[in-house]
Amino acid sequence: MAKKANGGLNTAFVADVRKRLADAQQLVQRAGDRSGYRVDGKLLTSVTHMLGILDKPALKYWAARTQQAADQRAIEDWLARKGAGSVADALATVKDAFQSVGKAARDIGSEAHSVIEHLVMKQLGRLPKEAEPPAVSDIASFVVSAHRRWAEQNEFMPLEVERVIFSVKHRAAGKLDMLAIVPKHPQLAGKFVIVDHKASRDLYEEMILQVNAYVGIFAEMLDLVPGEDVAGLLVRLPKEAGEPEQRVVEFDPVGFKATMALGEMVRWRKR
C-alpha cells in the first residue's frame, strides 16, 4: 500500500495505521506499580519512568527559588506582626512550599489536558457534540484557549488520542497525548505527528527525549521509518500572556538509544 498521495499521507494507509494501533491496545495492561505496561506478559518500562532518573537542574533551581520566596514572605509577615511567635513557627507555615506550588502547577496541566482531550474526542466523533467539557480553573481555561488558537492556525487534524505504544524489543512503552496530521507545517506535511502538549515555563531536554523515544517506538510498532514517516511536535501552552511555542522533534537515533539505555538502568535498579 502506498504511504503518500499528492504530497500527503495516503488516506487508506492512514486508516490502516489507525486500525493496527487500535487493535494493539487489546494487548496492553498497566503494570501494578505504575512503572510501565505489560504486553503478552512482558513488563515494559514507561518512557517517563526511564527519564525520571535524569538529573533536572532547572527543576532544582525552581524549587530553591520558590522556597526562598515563600520563606521571605513568612519572615516579612512575622516582622509585620512585631515578632509574635517564633521565627521557626513562622517558617513552619511555609515548609515544603515548593511542593505545594508544584502540585498546583501540575493540577492546572491536568485540568487543561482533560479539556483538550475532550475537545479532540469530539473532533474524532467519540463524544456527542453536545457533551460539555470538564469544569476547570480560569488558568487552565487560558491554557485550553491557547491550544484552540494553535490548532486553528496549524490546521491540526487529530487521528488518535491517549493511545499506548510499545516496543517489546526495547522493553519500552508510553502513552501518546495525540497522534495527528499537521498538513500546513513545512516540516511535518506528509508525516504522522506525535503531539505532546506542555503547560510549562519552557521546553526541557527530557521532554524532547520523551517525544523522540515515542517517535522511535511508534515507528517500530507500525513498520514506519522514523523521521521520514513520523515526527514529533512539542507544543508549550502558556498559562498567562503569550502565544503557544512549538518545537519539531526530528528523530535522533543517538537520543533514542540513550533513552532506551535509561530503561536498562531502571530495570537494573529494581533487580
PDB file of all heavy atoms in Angstrom, residues 42-74:
ATOM      1  N   LYS A  42       4.906  -9.561  29.233  1.00  0.00           N
ATOM      2  CA  LYS A  42       6.229  -8.953  29.407  1.00  0.00           C
ATOM      3  C   LYS A  42       6.086  -7.546  29.982  1.00  0.00           C
ATOM      4  O   LYS A  42       5.257  -6.769  29.518  1.00  0.00           O
ATOM      5  CB  LYS A  42       6.975  -8.899  28.072  1.00  0.00           C
ATOM      6  CG  LYS A  42       7.242 -10.257  27.443  1.00  0.00           C
ATOM      7  CD  LYS A  42       7.975 -10.101  26.130  1.00  0.00           C
ATOM      8  CE  LYS A  42       8.292 -11.465  25.509  1.00  0.00           C
ATOM      9  NZ  LYS A  42       7.070 -12.188  25.103  1.00  0.00           N
ATOM     10  N   LEU A  43       6.898  -7.222  30.979  1.00  0.00           N
ATOM     11  CA  LEU A  43       6.863  -5.903  31.602  1.00  0.00           C
ATOM     12  C   LEU A  43       7.711  -4.934  30.785  1.00  0.00           C
ATOM     13  O   LEU A  43       8.906  -5.164  30.577  1.00  0.00           O
ATOM     14  CB  LEU A  43       7.383  -5.970  33.032  1.00  0.00           C
ATOM     15  CG  LEU A  43       7.418  -4.638  33.793  1.00  0.00           C
ATOM     16  CD1 LEU A  43       6.019  -4.042  33.912  1.00  0.00           C
ATOM     17  CD2 LEU A  43       8.032  -4.822  35.175  1.00  0.00           C
ATOM     18  N   LEU A  44       7.092  -3.854  30.321  1.00  0.00           N
ATOM     19  CA  LEU A  44       7.766  -2.833  29.539  1.00  0.00           C
ATOM     20  C   LEU A  44       7.825  -1.546  30.362  1.00  0.00           C
ATOM     21  O   LEU A  44       6.802  -1.096  30.876  1.00  0.00           O
ATOM     22  CB  LEU A  44       7.025  -2.591  28.220  1.00  0.00           C
ATOM     23  CG  LEU A  44       6.657  -3.833  27.407  1.00  0.00           C
ATOM     24  CD1 LEU A  44       5.943  -3.430  26.114  1.00  0.00           C
ATOM     25  CD2 LEU A  44       7.889  -4.669  27.084  1.00  0.00           C
ATOM     26  N   THR A  45       8.984  -0.961  30.474  1.00  0.00           N
ATOM     27  CA  THR A  45       9.171   0.244  31.282  1.00  0.00           C
ATOM     28  C   THR A  45       8.640   1.460  30.538  1.00  0.00           C
ATOM     29  O   THR A  45       8.896   1.628  29.344  1.00  0.00           O
ATOM     30  CB  THR A  45      10.662   0.457  31.596  1.00  0.00           C
ATOM     31  OG1 THR A  45      11.206  -0.752  32.153  1.00  0.00           O
ATOM     32  CG2 THR A  45      10.864   1.593  32.574  1.00  0.00           C
ATOM     33  N   SER A  46       7.905   2.329  31.230  1.00  0.00           N
ATOM     34  CA  SER A  46       7.394   3.535  30.582  1.00  0.00           C
ATOM     35  C   SER A  46       8.539   4.514  30.332  1.00  0.00           C
ATOM     36  O   SER A  46       9.481   4.606  31.123  1.00  0.00           O
ATOM     37  CB  SER A  46       6.306   4.208  31.424  1.00  0.00           C
ATOM     38  OG  SER A  46       6.874   4.926  32.502  1.00  0.00           O
ATOM     39  N   VAL A  47       8.446   5.234  29.234  1.00  0.00           N
ATOM     40  CA  VAL A  47       9.480   6.207  28.881  1.00  0.00           C
ATOM     41  C   VAL A  47       9.591   7.288  29.959  1.00  0.00           C
ATOM     42  O   VAL A  47      10.690   7.709  30.314  1.00  0.00           O
ATOM     43  CB  VAL A  47       9.188   6.829  27.499  1.00  0.00           C
ATOM     44  CG1 VAL A  47      10.137   7.990  27.202  1.00  0.00           C
ATOM     45  CG2 VAL A  47       9.308   5.767  26.410  1.00  0.00           C
ATOM     46  N   THR A  48       8.471   7.735  30.489  1.00  0.00           N
ATOM     47  CA  THR A  48       8.522   8.773  31.532  1.00  0.00           C
ATOM     48  C   THR A  48       9.220   8.249  32.788  1.00  0.00           C
ATOM     49  O   THR A  48       9.930   9.000  33.467  1.00  0.00           O
ATOM     50  CB  THR A  48       7.107   9.264  31.894  1.00  0.00           C
ATOM     51  OG1 THR A  48       6.270   8.142  32.199  1.00  0.00           O
ATOM     52  CG2 THR A  48       6.494  10.039  30.738  1.00  0.00           C
ATOM     53  N   HIS A  49       9.046   6.966  33.081  1.00  0.00           N
ATOM     54  CA  HIS A  49       9.727   6.371  34.228  1.00  0.00           C
ATOM     55  C   HIS A  49      11.228   6.307  33.966  1.00  0.00           C
ATOM     56  O   HIS A  49      12.045   6.558  34.870  1.00  0.00           O
ATOM     57  CB  HIS A  49       9.171   4.969  34.491  1.00  0.00           C
ATOM     58  CG  HIS A  49       9.469   4.439  35.862  1.00  0.00           C
ATOM     59  ND1 HIS A  49       8.993   5.022  37.010  1.00  0.00           N
ATOM     60  CD2 HIS A  49      10.211   3.382  36.272  1.00  0.00           C
ATOM     61  CE1 HIS A  49       9.415   4.353  38.072  1.00  0.00           C
ATOM     62  NE2 HIS A  49      10.165   3.357  37.650  1.00  0.00           N
ATOM     63  N   MET A  50      11.612   5.994  32.741  1.00  0.00           N
ATOM     64  CA  MET A  50      13.039   5.984  32.378  1.00  0.00           C
ATOM     65  C   MET A  50      13.656   7.363  32.597  1.00  0.00           C
ATOM     66  O   MET A  50      14.722   7.507  33.209  1.00  0.00           O
ATOM     67  CB  MET A  50      13.209   5.610  30.902  1.00  0.00           C
ATOM     68  CG  MET A  50      12.793   4.218  30.522  1.00  0.00           C
ATOM     69  SD  MET A  50      12.972   4.015  28.724  1.00  0.00           S
ATOM     70  CE  MET A  50      12.227   2.398  28.486  1.00  0.00           C
ATOM     71  N   LEU A  51      12.984   8.381  32.065  1.00  0.00           N
ATOM     72  CA  LEU A  51      13.534   9.732  32.117  1.00  0.00           C
ATOM     73  C   LEU A  51      13.493  10.317  33.523  1.00  0.00           C
ATOM     74  O   LEU A  51      14.164  11.314  33.801  1.00  0.00           O
ATOM     75  CB  LEU A  51      12.776  10.634  31.145  1.00  0.00           C
ATOM     76  CG  LEU A  51      12.947  10.267  29.661  1.00  0.00           C
ATOM     77  CD1 LEU A  51      11.989  11.063  28.793  1.00  0.00           C
ATOM     78  CD2 LEU A  51      14.388  10.492  29.215  1.00  0.00           C
ATOM     79  N   GLY A  52      12.727   9.696  34.393  1.00  0.00           N
ATOM     80  CA  GLY A  52      12.633  10.179  35.773  1.00  0.00           C
ATOM     81  C   GLY A  52      13.931  10.077  36.541  1.00  0.00           C
ATOM     82  O   GLY A  52      14.099  10.741  37.571  1.00  0.00           O
ATOM     83  N   ILE A  53      14.876   9.251  36.056  1.00  0.00           N
ATOM     84  CA  ILE A  53      16.146   9.117  36.781  1.00  0.00           C
ATOM     85  C   ILE A  53      17.158  10.181  36.364  1.00  0.00           C
ATOM     86  O   ILE A  53      18.224  10.273  36.957  1.00  0.00           O
ATOM     87  CB  ILE A  53      16.754   7.708  36.604  1.00  0.00           C
ATOM     88  CG1 ILE A  53      17.233   7.487  35.168  1.00  0.00           C
ATOM     89  CG2 ILE A  53      15.761   6.642  37.020  1.00  0.00           C
ATOM     90  CD1 ILE A  53      17.982   6.170  35.002  1.00  0.00           C
ATOM     91  N   LEU A  54      16.825  10.987  35.356  1.00  0.00           N
ATOM     92  CA  LEU A  54      17.738  12.042  34.921  1.00  0.00           C
ATOM     93  C   LEU A  54      17.772  13.181  35.937  1.00  0.00           C
ATOM     94  O   LEU A  54      16.755  13.513  36.557  1.00  0.00           O
ATOM     95  CB  LEU A  54      17.306  12.607  33.568  1.00  0.00           C
ATOM     96  CG  LEU A  54      17.535  11.743  32.334  1.00  0.00           C
ATOM     97  CD1 LEU A  54      16.990  12.478  31.106  1.00  0.00           C
ATOM     98  CD2 LEU A  54      19.007  11.424  32.146  1.00  0.00           C
ATOM     99  N   ASP A  55      18.931  13.789  36.075  1.00  0.00           N
ATOM    100  CA  ASP A  55      19.041  14.992  36.884  1.00  0.00           C
ATOM    101  C   ASP A  55      18.324  16.134  36.167  1.00  0.00           C
ATOM    102  O   ASP A  55      18.400  16.249  34.941  1.00  0.00           O
ATOM    103  CB  ASP A  55      20.513  15.347  37.081  1.00  0.00           C
ATOM    104  CG  ASP A  55      20.690  16.490  38.066  1.00  0.00           C
ATOM    105  OD1 ASP A  55      19.937  16.557  39.050  1.00  0.00           O
ATOM    106  OD2 ASP A  55      21.586  17.327  37.834  1.00  0.00           O
ATOM    107  N   LYS A  56      17.587  16.944  36.927  1.00  0.00           N
ATOM    108  CA  LYS A  56      16.837  18.061  36.337  1.00  0.00           C
ATOM    109  C   LYS A  56      17.249  19.349  37.037  1.00  0.00           C
ATOM    110  O   LYS A  56      16.572  19.828  37.950  1.00  0.00           O
ATOM    111  CB  LYS A  56      15.329  17.810  36.463  1.00  0.00           C
ATOM    112  CG  LYS A  56      14.876  16.532  35.750  1.00  0.00           C
ATOM    113  CD  LYS A  56      13.401  16.287  35.939  1.00  0.00           C
ATOM    114  CE  LYS A  56      12.946  15.063  35.166  1.00  0.00           C
ATOM    115  NZ  LYS A  56      13.594  13.819  35.642  1.00  0.00           N
ATOM    116  N   PRO A  57      18.365  19.949  36.620  1.00  0.00           N
ATOM    117  CA  PRO A  57      18.874  21.151  37.302  1.00  0.00           C
ATOM    118  C   PRO A  57      17.895  22.316  37.293  1.00  0.00           C
ATOM    119  O   PRO A  57      17.825  23.072  38.264  1.00  0.00           O
ATOM    120  CB  PRO A  57      20.156  21.482  36.525  1.00  0.00           C
ATOM    121  CG  PRO A  57      20.031  20.759  35.222  1.00  0.00           C
ATOM    122  CD  PRO A  57      19.235  19.532  35.521  1.00  0.00           C
ATOM    123  N   ALA A  58      17.131  22.474  36.211  1.00  0.00           N
ATOM    124  CA  ALA A  58      16.175  23.588  36.149  1.00  0.00           C
ATOM    125  C   ALA A  58      15.103  23.421  37.221  1.00  0.00           C
ATOM    126  O   ALA A  58      14.656  24.396  37.838  1.00  0.00           O
ATOM    127  CB  ALA A  58      15.539  23.659  34.769  1.00  0.00           C
ATOM    128  N   LEU A  59      14.693  22.169  37.476  1.00  0.00           N
ATOM    129  CA  LEU A  59      13.674  21.907  38.488  1.00  0.00           C
ATOM    130  C   LEU A  59      14.221  22.192  39.881  1.00  0.00           C
ATOM    131  O   LEU A  59      13.518  22.766  40.732  1.00  0.00           O
ATOM    132  CB  LEU A  59      13.202  20.451  38.381  1.00  0.00           C
ATOM    133  CG  LEU A  59      12.111  20.013  39.354  1.00  0.00           C
ATOM    134  CD1 LEU A  59      10.849  20.851  39.164  1.00  0.00           C
ATOM    135  CD2 LEU A  59      11.799  18.530  39.171  1.00  0.00           C
ATOM    136  N   LYS A  60      15.469  21.829  40.115  1.00  0.00           N
ATOM    137  CA  LYS A  60      16.079  22.095  41.428  1.00  0.00           C
ATOM    138  C   LYS A  60      16.185  23.600  41.680  1.00  0.00           C
ATOM    139  O   LYS A  60      15.925  24.077  42.783  1.00  0.00           O
ATOM    140  CB  LYS A  60      17.457  21.444  41.499  1.00  0.00           C
ATOM    141  CG  LYS A  60      17.421  19.922  41.535  1.00  0.00           C
ATOM    142  CD  LYS A  60      18.830  19.360  41.586  1.00  0.00           C
ATOM    143  CE  LYS A  60      18.816  17.848  41.636  1.00  0.00           C
ATOM    144  NZ  LYS A  60      20.187  17.282  41.657  1.00  0.00           N
ATOM    145  N   TYR A  61      16.589  24.339  40.651  1.00  0.00           N
ATOM    146  CA  TYR A  61      16.713  25.794  40.777  1.00  0.00           C
ATOM    147  C   TYR A  61      15.349  26.411  41.064  1.00  0.00           C
ATOM    148  O   TYR A  61      15.217  27.284  41.932  1.00  0.00           O
ATOM    149  CB  TYR A  61      17.310  26.378  39.498  1.00  0.00           C
ATOM    150  CG  TYR A  61      17.331  27.891  39.471  1.00  0.00           C
ATOM    151  CD1 TYR A  61      18.229  28.616  40.247  1.00  0.00           C
ATOM    152  CD2 TYR A  61      16.431  28.590  38.672  1.00  0.00           C
ATOM    153  CE1 TYR A  61      18.244  29.998  40.232  1.00  0.00           C
ATOM    154  CE2 TYR A  61      16.430  29.980  38.647  1.00  0.00           C
ATOM    155  CZ  TYR A  61      17.332  30.670  39.421  1.00  0.00           C
ATOM    156  OH  TYR A  61      17.332  32.041  39.408  1.00  0.00           O
ATOM    157  N   TRP A  62      14.330  25.945  40.348  1.00  0.00           N
ATOM    158  CA  TRP A  62      12.967  26.466  40.564  1.00  0.00           C
ATOM    159  C   TRP A  62      12.502  26.179  41.986  1.00  0.00           C
ATOM    160  O   TRP A  62      11.920  27.049  42.646  1.00  0.00           O
ATOM    161  CB  TRP A  62      12.009  25.822  39.556  1.00  0.00           C
ATOM    162  CG  TRP A  62      10.576  26.117  39.863  1.00  0.00           C
ATOM    163  CD1 TRP A  62       9.863  27.208  39.485  1.00  0.00           C
ATOM    164  CD2 TRP A  62       9.689  25.311  40.658  1.00  0.00           C
ATOM    165  NE1 TRP A  62       8.580  27.135  39.993  1.00  0.00           N
ATOM    166  CE2 TRP A  62       8.456  25.992  40.711  1.00  0.00           C
ATOM    167  CE3 TRP A  62       9.824  24.089  41.307  1.00  0.00           C
ATOM    168  CZ2 TRP A  62       7.353  25.476  41.400  1.00  0.00           C
ATOM    169  CZ3 TRP A  62       8.736  23.581  42.001  1.00  0.00           C
ATOM    170  CH2 TRP A  62       7.514  24.276  42.038  1.00  0.00           C
ATOM    171  N   ALA A  63      12.747  24.952  42.469  1.00  0.00           N
ATOM    172  CA  ALA A  63      12.306  24.584  43.817  1.00  0.00           C
ATOM    173  C   ALA A  63      12.980  25.459  44.868  1.00  0.00           C
ATOM    174  O   ALA A  63      12.327  25.950  45.802  1.00  0.00           O
ATOM    175  CB  ALA A  63      12.605  23.107  44.079  1.00  0.00           C
ATOM    176  N   ALA A  64      14.292  25.677  44.719  1.00  0.00           N
ATOM    177  CA  ALA A  64      15.030  26.506  45.682  1.00  0.00           C
ATOM    178  C   ALA A  64      14.525  27.944  45.658  1.00  0.00           C
ATOM    179  O   ALA A  64      14.322  28.569  46.707  1.00  0.00           O
ATOM    180  CB  ALA A  64      16.525  26.457  45.372  1.00  0.00           C
ATOM    181  N   ARG A  65      14.315  28.477  44.456  1.00  0.00           N
ATOM    182  CA  ARG A  65      13.846  29.868  44.311  1.00  0.00           C
ATOM    183  C   ARG A  65      12.446  30.034  44.878  1.00  0.00           C
ATOM    184  O   ARG A  65      12.138  31.012  45.567  1.00  0.00           O
ATOM    185  CB  ARG A  65      13.871  30.242  42.828  1.00  0.00           C
ATOM    186  CG  ARG A  65      13.560  31.701  42.537  1.00  0.00           C
ATOM    187  CD  ARG A  65      13.585  31.926  41.043  1.00  0.00           C
ATOM    188  NE  ARG A  65      12.599  31.075  40.379  1.00  0.00           N
ATOM    189  CZ  ARG A  65      12.619  30.788  39.087  1.00  0.00           C
ATOM    190  NH1 ARG A  65      13.595  31.246  38.322  1.00  0.00           N
ATOM    191  NH2 ARG A  65      11.688  30.038  38.560  1.00  0.00           N
ATOM    192  N   THR A  66      11.579  29.054  44.631  1.00  0.00           N
ATOM    193  CA  THR A  66      10.199  29.111  45.127  1.00  0.00           C
ATOM    194  C   THR A  66      10.168  29.044  46.644  1.00  0.00           C
ATOM    195  O   THR A  66       9.428  29.793  47.301  1.00  0.00           O
ATOM    196  CB  THR A  66       9.378  27.955  44.531  1.00  0.00           C
ATOM    197  OG1 THR A  66       9.396  28.060  43.105  1.00  0.00           O
ATOM    198  CG2 THR A  66       7.944  27.987  45.025  1.00  0.00           C
ATOM    199  N   GLN A  67      10.982  28.143  47.224  1.00  0.00           N
ATOM    200  CA  GLN A  67      11.009  28.010  48.674  1.00  0.00           C
ATOM    201  C   GLN A  67      11.584  29.268  49.316  1.00  0.00           C
ATOM    202  O   GLN A  67      11.099  29.733  50.355  1.00  0.00           O
ATOM    203  CB  GLN A  67      11.831  26.788  49.080  1.00  0.00           C
ATOM    204  CG  GLN A  67      11.752  26.470  50.566  1.00  0.00           C
ATOM    205  CD  GLN A  67      10.346  26.104  50.998  1.00  0.00           C
ATOM    206  OE1 GLN A  67       9.706  25.242  50.402  1.00  0.00           O
ATOM    207  NE2 GLN A  67       9.846  26.759  52.045  1.00  0.00           N
ATOM    208  N   GLN A  68      12.616  29.842  48.706  1.00  0.00           N
ATOM    209  CA  GLN A  68      13.219  31.067  49.235  1.00  0.00           C
ATOM    210  C   GLN A  68      12.211  32.205  49.277  1.00  0.00           C
ATOM    211  O   GLN A  68      12.122  32.951  50.256  1.00  0.00           O
ATOM    212  CB  GLN A  68      14.429  31.457  48.377  1.00  0.00           C
ATOM    213  CG  GLN A  68      15.151  32.700  48.878  1.00  0.00           C
ATOM    214  CD  GLN A  68      16.286  33.105  47.954  1.00  0.00           C
ATOM    215  OE1 GLN A  68      16.141  33.104  46.741  1.00  0.00           O
ATOM    216  NE2 GLN A  68      17.428  33.452  48.530  1.00  0.00           N
ATOM    217  N   ALA A  69      11.414  32.335  48.200  1.00  0.00           N
ATOM    218  CA  ALA A  69      10.402  33.395  48.153  1.00  0.00           C
ATOM    219  C   ALA A  69       9.349  33.193  49.236  1.00  0.00           C
ATOM    220  O   ALA A  69       8.896  34.144  49.880  1.00  0.00           O
ATOM    221  CB  ALA A  69       9.752  33.429  46.773  1.00  0.00           C
ATOM    222  N   ALA A  70       8.936  31.929  49.453  1.00  0.00           N
ATOM    223  CA  ALA A  70       7.942  31.636  50.485  1.00  0.00           C
ATOM    224  C   ALA A  70       8.495  31.932  51.876  1.00  0.00           C
ATOM    225  O   ALA A  70       7.800  32.494  52.739  1.00  0.00           O
ATOM    226  CB  ALA A  70       7.502  30.175  50.378  1.00  0.00           C
ATOM    227  N   ASP A  71       9.762  31.564  52.116  1.00  0.00           N
ATOM    228  CA  ASP A  71      10.400  31.832  53.409  1.00  0.00           C
ATOM    229  C   ASP A  71      10.474  33.342  53.661  1.00  0.00           C
ATOM    230  O   ASP A  71      10.215  33.816  54.787  1.00  0.00           O
ATOM    231  CB  ASP A  71      11.804  31.235  53.444  1.00  0.00           C
ATOM    232  CG  ASP A  71      11.796  29.723  53.470  1.00  0.00           C
ATOM    233  OD1 ASP A  71      10.737  29.137  53.725  1.00  0.00           O
ATOM    234  OD2 ASP A  71      12.868  29.124  53.215  1.00  0.00           O
ATOM    235  N   GLN A  72      10.824  34.090  52.615  1.00  0.00           N
ATOM    236  CA  GLN A  72      10.939  35.543  52.757  1.00  0.00           C
ATOM    237  C   GLN A  72       9.588  36.163  53.119  1.00  0.00           C
ATOM    238  O   GLN A  72       9.507  37.024  54.006  1.00  0.00           O
ATOM    239  CB  GLN A  72      11.469  36.151  51.458  1.00  0.00           C
ATOM    240  CG  GLN A  72      11.654  37.667  51.543  1.00  0.00           C
ATOM    241  CD  GLN A  72      12.275  38.238  50.277  1.00  0.00           C
ATOM    242  OE1 GLN A  72      12.949  37.531  49.542  1.00  0.00           O
ATOM    243  NE2 GLN A  72      12.046  39.524  50.031  1.00  0.00           N
ATOM    244  N   ARG A  73       8.523  35.706  52.447  1.00  0.00           N
ATOM    245  CA  ARG A  73       7.183  36.237  52.764  1.00  0.00           C
ATOM    246  C   ARG A  73       6.795  35.908  54.196  1.00  0.00           C
ATOM    247  O   ARG A  73       6.186  36.734  54.899  1.00  0.00           O
ATOM    248  CB  ARG A  73       6.146  35.667  51.788  1.00  0.00           C
ATOM    249  CG  ARG A  73       6.231  36.230  50.377  1.00  0.00           C
ATOM    250  CD  ARG A  73       4.975  35.884  49.581  1.00  0.00           C
ATOM    251  NE  ARG A  73       4.801  34.436  49.464  1.00  0.00           N
ATOM    252  CZ  ARG A  73       5.321  33.690  48.500  1.00  0.00           C
ATOM    253  NH1 ARG A  73       6.087  34.236  47.573  1.00  0.00           N
ATOM    254  NH2 ARG A  73       5.093  32.389  48.464  1.00  0.00           N
ATOM    255  N   ALA A  74       7.134  34.692  54.650  1.00  0.00           N
ATOM    256  CA  ALA A  74       6.791  34.293  56.015  1.00  0.00           C
ATOM    257  C   ALA A  74       7.499  35.169  57.044  1.00  0.00           C
ATOM    258  O   ALA A  74       6.906  35.581  58.051  1.00  0.00           O
ATOM    259  CB  ALA A  74       7.148  32.819  56.226  1.00  0.00           C
TER     260      ALA A  74
END
